[in-house]
Amino acid sequence: MRYIEPHGHMVSRTTDDYQAMALAGCAAICEPAFWAGFDRKSADGFHDYFCQLTQHEPKRAAKYGLPHYCWLCINPKESEDMALAADVLALIPQFIGAPTVLGIGEIGLNKNTRNEMKILEQHIELAVKHDQLILVHTPHLEDKRKGTRLITDVLKAHSGVRPERVIIDHVEEHTIAGVLDQGFWAGITLYPESKATPVRAVDMLENFASQRVWLNSACDWGHSDPIAVPKAAAEMRRRGHSAAAIDSLVYGNPVRFLSQSKNFKDPQALR
Amino acid sequence: MPDPHPLAGTPRRSRDQVADLHFMDARFKLLDLAAFLDRLERATGADDHRVRGLRQALPILLEGGDDRVAKILHLWSDPSLTPIEQADTKSASGVWPGLK
Ligand SMILES: [Zn+2]
């Protein structure tokens, strides 16, 4: 089988993980900018992180035959510090021209605060101005439903945002329908504990599968599984879904969304 | 649902087929949940909002319909609609702390 990992935080993973993903059929990895598990103290820390995402990590992935792409932003967990966020937002334009940048992400909300909202709006402006795709992180657990609503309202209110160029990630059973009904793409994140397990994800797909859904592992420095997407594909197989339907979901869908960025190359075409 | 994908539409399966695939998985999870409740029973102090939320979700398991997961997630969600002034923590606990 082949699949795309559209959301993996590879800077926090080992080379064993790259190898496991390549062996499982991964054809390309996309890495959104995110929280490092601790707050960075200055914009310099983000400058180095963006260099890592655009220069170093693609080389590491290439050793396993994997094209590596990235998204840029300051994540909502660090957006509470408005001065830091302003400095980081000012840095982004100098990296946007890098050949592997797909867009602005993962932006969104964490605790649904006023400051987070302001920085989210500034990221959306930046994405519209530079004609970039948008990848949205929706809040965790009890904050998800409210945050998803606040985020989709802000996106809908902006005349420059085209919903088909926005993916709302980390949807669950209570948020997926609203996201899809408004014309956005929806990402289902497979986590061992929070978010969705592979089994629940396949239930959601059987109930809501759209041409605008992707699956991702969002593997990072926490409890997560870099080969969760092929595990979900195995669950689909076990339930009797055809190889063609599975391929169209775990490979075709992400390729169609990501190909809206001129920087993304269908891995099939590269072979 | 707009733009349906070929995977959509639950394939016709018998309950036996579903049980063959997933019964043991559900069985061990139910026993783990029972063990968690037993462990709470042997501990001291009152239930916090997370445990209260978990107990409130249990009757939903016995309701009809095929949307129990969504119902439970809605139950545990923050019902407010406006952004908060400032957060006192970075993380979420799993159940909205205001749940009565
Ligand atoms: Zn992420």
Side-chain angles (χ1 to χ4, degrees), chain A residues 8-255:
Chain A
H9 297 291
M10 301 311 293
V11 302
S12 46
R13 307 301 309 194
T14 65
T15 48
D16 282 356
D17 294 328
Y18 269 120
Q19 187 172 44
M21 292 166 83
L23 288 171
C26 188
I29 298 178
C30 310
E31 175 153 5
F34 85 140
W35 190 51
F38 60 93
D39 289 349
R40 283 159 279 216
K41 295 284 179 287
S42 72
D44 288 343
F46 282 87
H47 180 276
D48 290 351
Y49 179 45
F50 294 157
C51 289
Q52 186 180 17
L53 289 176
T54 54
Q55 297 161 25
H56 178 69
E57 208 57 35
K59 288 185 198 144
R60 213 159 74 97
K63 290 186 180 150
Y64 299 88
L66 292 169
H68 177 284
Y69 299 91
C70 70
W71 302 74
L72 303 172
C73 75
I74 174 167
N75 66 87
K77 273 197 174 159
E78 284 163 298
S79 294
E80 201 51 38
D81 181 343
M82 301 275 284
L84 174 66
D87 288 348
V88 177
L89 274 155
L91 274 178
I92 293 175
Q94 63 180 279
F95 288 93
I96 270 183
T100 54
V101 171
L102 298 173
I104 300 299
E106 54 186 303
I107 57 172
L109 298 173
N110 179 49
K111 293 302 291 181
N112 303 325
T113 70
R114 290 199 188 286
N115 285 357
E116 290 170 14
M117 285 290 287
K118 284 182 198 138
I119 300 304
L120 167 64
E121 286 166 9
Q122 290 175 32
H123 276 108
I124 294 169
E125 271 317 319
L126 187 70
V128 169
K129 183 175 166 204
H130 293 270
D131 195 25
Q132 296 291 306
L133 297 177
I134 294 175
L135 191 162
V136 172
H137 160 97
T138 52
H140 302 278
L141 308 174
E142 70 268 26
D143 299 316
K144 182 177 302 291
R145 185 179 73 180
K146 172 181 174 179
T148 303
R149 173 81 184 270
L150 288 171
I151 292 163
T152 52
D153 283 354
V154 166
L155 287 163
K156 279 296 206 185
H158 196 300
S159 60
V161 172
R162 286 156 53 200
E164 70 274 17
R165 289 172 57 81
V166 178
I167 181 134
I168 310 289
D169 218 330
H170 318 321
V171 299
E172 289 182 63
E173 288 84 346
H174 59 326
T175 57
I176 185 171
V179 165
L180 291 172
D181 286 344
Q182 295 183 81
F184 299 108
W185 280 67
I188 301 176
T189 299
L190 305 162
Y191 260 19
E193 285 166 355
S194 58
K195 306 193 171 75
T197 57
V199 181
R200 270 174 59 205
V202 179
D203 288 340
M204 270 190 269
L205 292 170
E206 290 178 344
N207 287 331
F208 298 105
S210 150
Q211 301 285 354
R212 288 179 284 112
V213 176
W214 80 25
L215 293 178
N216 63 75
S217 78
C219 57
D220 56 25
W221 41 261
H223 188 30
S224 51
D225 179 0
I227 52 168
V229 174
K231 284 180 183 170
E235 174 65 19
M236 295 174 214
R237 239 179 347 258
R238 192 161 100 92
R239 295 194 196 185
H241 292 290
S242 73
I246 296 168
D247 181 73
S248 142
L249 196 107
V250 299
Y251 186 90
N253 276 11
V255 164

Side-chain angles (χ1 to χ4, degrees), chain B residues 37-56:
Chain B
L37 295 171
D38 287 347
R39 215 172 302 133
L40 286 168
E41 214 61 50
R42 291 189 288 265
T44 56
D47 286 350
D48 71 7
H49 72 279
R50 296 167 300 177
V51 176
R52 282 200 304 276
L54 191 125
R55 290 193 200 276
Q56 281 187 39

Side-chain angles (χ1 to χ4, degrees), chain B residues 42-95:
Chain B
R42 291 189 288 265
T44 56
D47 286 350
D48 71 7
H49 72 279
R50 296 167 300 177
V51 176
R52 282 200 304 276
L54 191 125
R55 290 193 200 276
Q56 281 187 39
L58 296 178
I60 295 173
L61 299 178
L62 298 176
E63 288 178 10
D66 70 345
D67 58 348
R68 293 174 180 82
V69 181
K71 278 184 185 161
I72 291 173
L73 289 169
H74 281 302
L75 169 73
W76 291 341
S77 292
D78 178 352
S80 69
L81 293 170
T82 48
I84 58 171
E85 220 38 69
Q86 224 184 343
D88 46 15
T89 166
K90 257 199 208 310
S91 51
S93 66
V95 172

